[in-house]
Amino acid sequence: MTHWKYSKLAIATALGLSMSLPVHAQDAPEAAVEAAPSGPVAADFEMKRCVNMGNALEAPNGAPWGKNYAKADYQKIAAAGFDTVRIPVRWSDYTGPAPDYQIHPEFAGLVDNNLKWALTSGLNVIVNVHHFDEMMDNPAEQMERFRAIWDQISLRYSRLPDNVWFEVLNEPNKKLEGKLMRQAQALSLATIRRDNPDRVVIFGGEEWSGIRSLATNLATDDPNVVYTFHYYDPFSFTHQEATWLGENMPKGKRGWGSAEDKAELANAIEIATAFRDAVKRPVFLGEFGVNDPVNNKQRVKWVGAVKTAMEGADIPWCLWAYGNTFALHSEENGWDEDMLAVLTND
């Protein structure tokens, strides 16, 4: 990959930018929903095994969900055999008032540090806009703030190596669907392209970016757009004892591995590969995992099956998550060695 030409010094220097940068002003483009993708596949999108840096920078402002990560975490991830990290970020909780929606410099600096630690550890980086809840509830009202956030992210990181990829919005849901979702995708893509003409940009579809929602994404002739989906099926297995879901938490306990379970996974592979073949773009699994309280042998069994199925179809994957919830690693116990082995063994 071309990013190896960048030295650690160059990366650190590029990340020394100030967030007090100008905001571009341009109306949202029309969403090219009917445009047929053309041009080359994103040549620099070379990932295989990824882990999400979960429940840290995407926590609500003032309400941490777990530990923040440090340089040593990224070094451990690289040493364990992963090539990519996905860094979810709740930028929307750290913006000032209209019209600029200035991102708080202190928070931006914290994100900078995580990108720097990842890059200097030799990892690819996906940075996204995560948990923009107001956008899901009222897309039209929040569209300008969404544009302003990407305007600032795009300019801030425009000098970083080309193995930093921008995922425009995590799991569109609620009222952000259909043409409004594709409008948001087109708007963010146009905004990013002003300062990053060739950087990989990632789209995930409506209904929480589920596997069956891939076809809802914006079609575009931009040759450096790739697509992502999330896979937590069956939800009744992966989200057992997920207390944050309240009444939506699955009832009872169950394992995984029935003929029906395996058929469901095989069908997911068929959906993802069919979409990839149709759009002729890379497609990757951006999140999958099982809640910690579930029996660990069953967790490892499911994760191993999903990982094997995805790799068999040449679909890169990104586990949720390195730490905190659905954790692969903890400060108290280190790596979940059984889970790590099934993820990193060929």
Side-chain angles (χ1 to χ4, degrees), residues 170-320:
N170 179 71
E171 294 185 344
N173 63 84
K174 296 181 181 177
K175 294 181 181 179
L176 187 63
E177 59 183 358
K179 290 184 178 180
L180 270 174
M181 185 200 72
R182 290 185 286 273
Q183 179 188 352
Q185 291 178 329
L187 175 61
S188 55
L189 179 62
T191 301
I192 290 166
R193 285 293 174 250
R194 293 174 202 138
D195 299 304
N196 295 270
D198 301 312
R199 191 176 301 280
V200 165
V201 174
I202 300 164
F203 290 161
E206 63 187 30
E207 290 294 327
W208 307 91
S209 298
I211 181 68
R212 293 163 189 84
S213 302
L214 273 167
T216 67
N217 279 291
L218 175 75
T220 173
D221 60 3
D222 188 303
N224 288 311
V225 168
V226 304
Y227 295 93
T228 189
F229 65 95
H230 295 176
Y231 188 75
Y232 289 104
D233 296 338
F235 194 79
S236 59
F237 169 70
T238 62
H239 280 68
Q240 294 172 89
E241 300 189 47
T243 55
W244 61 90
L245 295 173
E247 288 298 315
N248 295 322
M249 184 180 74
K251 307 300 187 291
K253 294 185 178 182
R254 59 159 293 180
W256 185 88
S258 68
E260 182 180 0
D261 290 339
K262 293 176 181 177
E264 183 176 45
L265 176 56
N267 180 248
I269 296 295
E270 290 177 4
I271 293 171
T273 54
F275 178 82
R276 180 184 63 193
D277 293 345
V279 300
K280 297 180 174 56
R281 304 298 179 85
V283 173
F284 75 98
L285 172 55
E287 289 186 19
F288 73 114
V290 186
N291 197 20
D292 303 272
V294 178
N295 176 275
N296 206 50
K297 288 184 178 180
Q298 291 294 310
R299 292 177 74 234
V300 171
K301 182 180 181 182
W302 182 88
V303 166
V306 174
K307 172 254 189 186
T308 299
M310 295 296 162
E311 290 189 353
D314 197 25
I315 298 173
W317 50 261
C318 198
L319 182 77
W320 190 280

Side-chain angles (χ1 to χ4, degrees), residues 150-169:
W150 268 115
D151 199 18
Q152 294 172 80
I153 298 170
S154 175
L155 189 53
R156 184 178 189 86
Y157 297 137
S158 60
R159 293 166 54 197
L160 290 187
D162 55 16
N163 65 322
V164 175
W165 306 317
F166 293 162
E167 182 182 346
V168 300
L169 188 63

Side-chain angles (χ1 to χ4, degrees), residues 131-146:
H131 288 316
F132 192 168
D133 295 337
E134 301 93 333
M135 184 76 172
M136 310 307 173
D137 293 329
N138 196 334
E141 183 181 277
Q142 294 294 321
M143 199 70 73
E144 175 56 21
R145 183 153 72 116
F146 177 64

Side-chain angles (χ1 to χ4, degrees), residues 40-206:
V41 170
D44 291 327
F45 190 75
E46 297 180 10
M47 67 169 282
K48 182 178 180 182
R49 297 173 176 174
C50 168
V51 65
N52 280 275
M53 307 307 290
N55 300 120
L57 295 175
E58 89 279 15
N61 188 355
W65 286 343
K67 64 162 282 188
N68 283 321
Y69 300 115
K71 181 178 181 180
D73 293 301
Y74 292 96
Q75 293 172 331
K76 289 176 185 177
I77 289 166
F82 295 92
D83 55 60
T84 304
V85 289
R86 180 172 179 256
I87 303 179
V89 185
R90 193 186 291 239
W91 300 95
S92 56
D93 261 27
Y94 296 89
T95 61
D100 294 336
Y101 300 104
Q102 194 83 6
I103 296 171
H104 299 179
E106 296 82 3
F107 182 72
L110 184 59
V111 179
D112 288 354
N113 284 338
N114 280 261
L115 267 69
K116 177 173 66 177
W117 296 330
L119 289 169
T120 56
S121 297
L123 295 163
N124 308 315
V125 180
I126 299 166
V127 62
N128 76 3
V129 170
H130 209 94
H131 288 316
F132 192 168
D133 295 337
E134 301 93 333
M135 184 76 172
M136 310 307 173
D137 293 329
N138 196 334
E141 183 181 277
Q142 294 294 321
M143 199 70 73
E144 175 56 21
R145 183 153 72 116
F146 177 64
R147 185 206 62 78
I149 288 171
W150 268 115
D151 199 18
Q152 294 172 80
I153 298 170
S154 175
L155 189 53
R156 184 178 189 86
Y157 297 137
S158 60
R159 293 166 54 197
L160 290 187
D162 55 16
N163 65 322
V164 175
W165 306 317
F166 293 162
E167 182 182 346
V168 300
L169 188 63
N170 179 71
E171 294 185 344
N173 63 84
K174 296 181 181 177
K175 294 181 181 179
L176 187 63
E177 59 183 358
K179 290 184 178 180
L180 270 174
M181 185 200 72
R182 290 185 286 273
Q183 179 188 352
Q185 291 178 329
L187 175 61
S188 55
L189 179 62
T191 301
I192 290 166
R193 285 293 174 250
R194 293 174 202 138
D195 299 304
N196 295 270
D198 301 312
R199 191 176 301 280
V200 165
V201 174
I202 300 164
F203 290 161
E206 63 187 30

